[in-house]
Amino acid sequence: MARFAVTTFGCQMNKHDSERLEEVLSGAGGELVASVDEADLVVLNTCSVRDKAEQKIRSEVGRLSVLKRRRPELVLVVAGCMARQHGAGIIRTMPDVDLVIGPDNIAELPELLAEIQLGGPPLVRTEFDLEAPTFLTALTVASRKPTAFVTTMKGCDERCTYCVVPQTRGPERYRPSDEVIAEIQQLVAAHVREVTLLGQTVNRYRDPAGKLGRAPDAATDDPDESEFAALLRAIAEQVPQLRRLRYESPHPRHLTKALISAHCELPQLPRHLHLPVQSGSDRVLKRMIRRHTRAEYLERVSQVCARLPDVTISTDIIVGFPGETEADFLQTLSLVEQVPHVGVFGFKYSPRPGTAALRLGDEVDETTKSDRLQRLFEVSEASMARHLSALVATQQQVLVEGPSKSRAENLSGRSERNEIVHIVGATHLDIVGEVVEVEIVEAYKHSLLGKLTDSERRRARTKQDGSGRQHLPVVSGVKGAAPPLFGSD
Ligand code: 5AD
Ligand code: SF4
């Protein structure tokens, strides 16, 4: 099997899939190399949520085609959402691609590559595993990172009119809770301290094996209640060594009473919620078929804030959705200001093939989209700056993930709420994978700088001087850290 490289575009789900791709290829005898120049096999794990992502991938395929002209034995694989979206169209428009493989077909990769290496024509395999869904489990033996992703569901049954995901990832399929818990137990045994549960509408979870039921305080008359809170409680109970439990991406409609209670009662859950609202205008929300109103979003948020007073919230916003007027956009700005949003991921609307919004026509022009994105950005940056500077001189519990990417002399990690915290003067201490107490000394634009509190420093030294504590070796860089706080497109 070849020397291979995997390049990832898009969301956390894709990053998780790429890790599984690497494991499947390594398991078949492949050797992971750091750059495509050293590889005989290149997998592009693609995203098609916006046109800009697709353009980037097409130009990457163009670059690899040049390489392939020099090295005809180079095998090119297009995986992920774009593969499913365009299927054989990829081979037609990019004839240097040898294999197109969908998100549910990762396990078949070695056998498909074997067929190609026998001299067969380019192949396309993009079936959904509807009858017997599989969820590839992380092989943790080699894992040294304190954080990991675990899939709990895949696909999406919502029909937001702008979104291509239901086409690229298929209908919702849920993973049995005992499989989820078993994977987390394995990860924790391999020193993982924080798990992020992944799913397109992660808080709509229900256990296909029927082992969970609803959480004790789930409202029986709320159709949006799911078994997600019960899953969180089962994980917390059955994997007590797990320090932190995050999840993404939730749908605001399923931020129910039971889920808020879980946040109040389980110390593993963050005091932070990412709640994509997309627009602050009811008219636009209706055209997006988000199936909640502005008032319902605000109501859910105020219920959370009332019960978890220091919670922070981030959101996703689309600007320039078909028919969005200046008045609609002002509603969005006012919603972003009204809620204590500390992060806004803003995107210009991008028409996607096969989506219902295409029929709405009436596109907002590019200049207006850019202008609205910029104004949104200014509001969100100001609230981020207010939030981060208010944290100076406070103490935060930080899970240390490894050396800081920007400055090797610092360590870096995340607070309970998910702020990025750089820790000065601690690289000589074995605290990677530990939750430590940090005093914040400075606020940067998108992160914080802090130092270990005196008592934490003493504790770390004492441990290091001879308790025989098990610790994690320092890993290079904080992989997957610091998503952009604001969409760049
Ligand atoms: N255009 C722009 N942004 C989009 N998103 C999803 N589809 C589109 C689109 N067609 C954004 C939404 C979603 C995030 C992951 O990407 O804000 O929450
Ligand atoms: Fe797309 Fe809406 Fe499903 Fe999110 S909930 S993946 S935005 S269709």
Side-chain angles (χ1 to χ4, degrees):
M1 167 61 79
R3 288 149 59 88
F4 69 90
V6 179
T7 309
T8 311
F9 301 84
C11 65
Q12 306 291 18
M13 188 72 91
N14 257 20
K15 284 187 188 132
H16 177 264
D17 285 353
S18 286
E19 287 176 11
R20 307 291 76 77
L21 276 162
E22 288 174 9
E23 287 171 356
V24 163
L25 289 171
S26 301
E31 183 197 342
L32 178 64
V33 291
S35 102
V36 294
D37 298 315
E38 300 165 52
D40 311 311
L41 163 67
V42 177
V43 184
L44 301 181
N45 194 14
T46 62
C47 168
S48 58
V49 78
R50 282 171 290 278
D51 184 51
K52 201 170 173 190
E54 286 204 3
Q55 280 175 21
K56 216 158 120 187
I57 292 154
R58 286 181 198 280
S59 74
E60 181 60 13
V61 172
R63 203 174 72 83
L64 292 168
S65 297
V66 175
L67 209 63
K68 192 162 171 157
R69 241 149 268 152
R70 266 189 280 135
R71 290 201 281 130
E73 70 287 357
L74 181 68
V75 176
L76 296 186
V77 179
V78 171
C81 288
M82 222 175 132
R84 170 70 205 185
Q85 179 71 5
H86 300 290
I90 293 193
I91 307 279
R92 277 197 300 277
T93 54
M94 297 181 272
D96 286 313
V97 172
D98 299 284
L99 172 62
V100 175
I101 186 164
D104 287 356
N105 306 96
I106 292 174
E108 298 161 58
L109 189 51
E111 73 188 70
L112 295 172
L113 286 171
E115 275 185 53
I116 285 165
Q117 265 143 8
L118 286 175
L123 290 177
V124 177
R125 180 70 55 89
T126 59
E127 317 312 325
F128 290 135
D129 56 7
L130 301 179
E131 295 302 316
T134 54
F135 297 86
L136 291 176
T137 299
L139 306 172
T140 57
V141 191
S143 169
R144 294 184 185 286
K145 288 183 294 173
T147 59
F149 296 118
V150 171
T151 310
T152 54
M153 55 97 65
K154 56 184 176 180
C156 179
D157 286 351
E158 296 285 326
R159 286 295 173 266
C160 303
T161 51
Y162 50 82
C163 188
V164 80
V165 166
Q167 292 172 64
T168 61
R169 295 271 174 176
E172 286 177 13
R173 282 143 293 161
Y174 305 96
R175 188 177 188 189
S177 62
D178 46 9
E179 253 186 54
V180 172
I181 293 168
E183 182 172 1
I184 297 175
Q185 279 165 338
Q186 268 182 40
L187 288 164
V188 166
H191 300 299
V192 164
R193 295 290 171 264
E194 173 182 303
V195 160
T196 302
L197 305 178
L198 290 180
Q200 255 86 32
T201 46
V202 69
N203 54 344
R204 208 150 92 148
Y205 180 83
R206 61 182 166 71
D207 184 4
K211 292 199 177 149
L212 281 179
R214 291 186 171 189
D217 54 348
T220 45
D221 56 349
D222 183 351
D224 294 331
E225 278 290 7
S226 68
E227 295 178 3
F228 188 61
L231 177 68
L232 297 175
R233 286 178 187 274
I235 294 169
E237 195 186 303
Q238 293 180 46
V239 201
Q241 310 89 328
L242 183 70
R243 293 295 301 264
R244 287 186 178 174
L245 183 55
R246 301 190 189 277
Y247 55 86
E248 63 183 64
S249 284
H251 193 292
R253 253 194 14 255
H254 301 285
L255 175 63
T256 55
K257 186 170 160 234
L259 183 50
I260 300 173
S261 297
H263 274 268
C264 295
E265 288 163 34
L266 302 179
Q268 294 87 340
L269 291 181
R271 283 175 294 130
H272 173 80
L273 281 164
H274 181 67
L275 278 184
V277 67
Q278 314 298 356
S279 171
S281 152
D282 279 340
R283 221 176 58 86
V284 176
L285 286 171
K286 203 164 174 193
R287 287 160 75 89
M288 288 178 163
I289 314 196
R290 283 295 287 174
R291 303 207 281 146
H292 63 76
T293 61
R294 174 192 173 99
E296 281 161 354
Y297 180 85
L298 290 172
E299 171 62 20
R300 295 262 148 120
V301 168
S302 77
Q303 283 165 2
V304 180
C305 293
R307 293 181 65 192
L308 270 175
D310 52 354
V311 72
T312 52
I313 292 173
S314 56
T315 196
D316 290 349
I317 298 282
I318 296 176
V319 299
F321 187 75
E324 184 192 66
T325 61
E326 175 66 13
D328 292 319
F329 176 66
L330 288 175
Q331 291 266 302
T332 298
L333 278 189
S334 88
L335 179 126
V336 168
E337 277 173 325
Q338 193 173 338
V339 172
H341 284 126
V342 296
V344 177
F345 298 79
F347 309 101
K348 289 185 205 170
Y349 169 67
S350 168
R352 307 307 297 129
T355 57
L358 279 185
R359 289 198 297 272
L360 295 174
D362 197 18
E363 257 197 73
V364 177
D365 64 75
E366 191 58 28
T367 316
T368 308
K369 283 183 188 170
S370 301
D371 171 67
R372 288 182 187 164
L373 194 62
Q374 179 59 28
R375 286 155 68 200
L376 180 63
F377 180 68
E378 280 157 19
V379 169
S380 87
E381 288 288 280
S383 77
M384 179 71 156
R386 273 195 306 276
H387 170 65
L388 291 181
S389 53
L391 293 176
V392 173
T394 64
Q395 292 182 356
Q396 301 296 325
Q397 302 290 317
V398 177
L399 172 63
V400 186
E401 295 180 22
S404 177
K405 262 188 178 170
S406 46
R407 287 194 182 181
E409 70 271 26
N410 292 340
L411 290 176
S412 176
R414 298 253 175 183
S415 71
E416 277 174 278
R417 288 199 210 83
N418 215 22
E419 291 104 11
I420 300 162
V421 182
H422 305 286
I423 308 168
V424 71
T427 40
H428 60 291
L429 296 170
D430 274 325
I431 54 173
V432 174
E434 301 260 316
V435 176
V436 294
E437 196 172 61
V438 173
E439 185 185 331
I440 304 302
V441 293
E442 198 176 335
Y444 298 141
K445 207 168 168 199
H446 295 144
S447 62
L448 296 163
L449 181 71
K451 58 178 189 184
L452 293 185
T453 58
D454 291 343
S455 58
E456 191 64 70
R457 187 170 290 276
R458 273 196 301 278
R459 203 164 30 239
R461 282 220 189 95
T462 316
K463 271 187 196 161
Q464 194 151 321
D465 291 345
S467 71
R469 173 179 73 85
Q470 277 199 317
H471 56 79
L472 290 168
V474 170
V475 289
S476 60
V478 184
K479 196 176 169 202
L485 283 160
F486 204 84
S488 56
D489 49 350

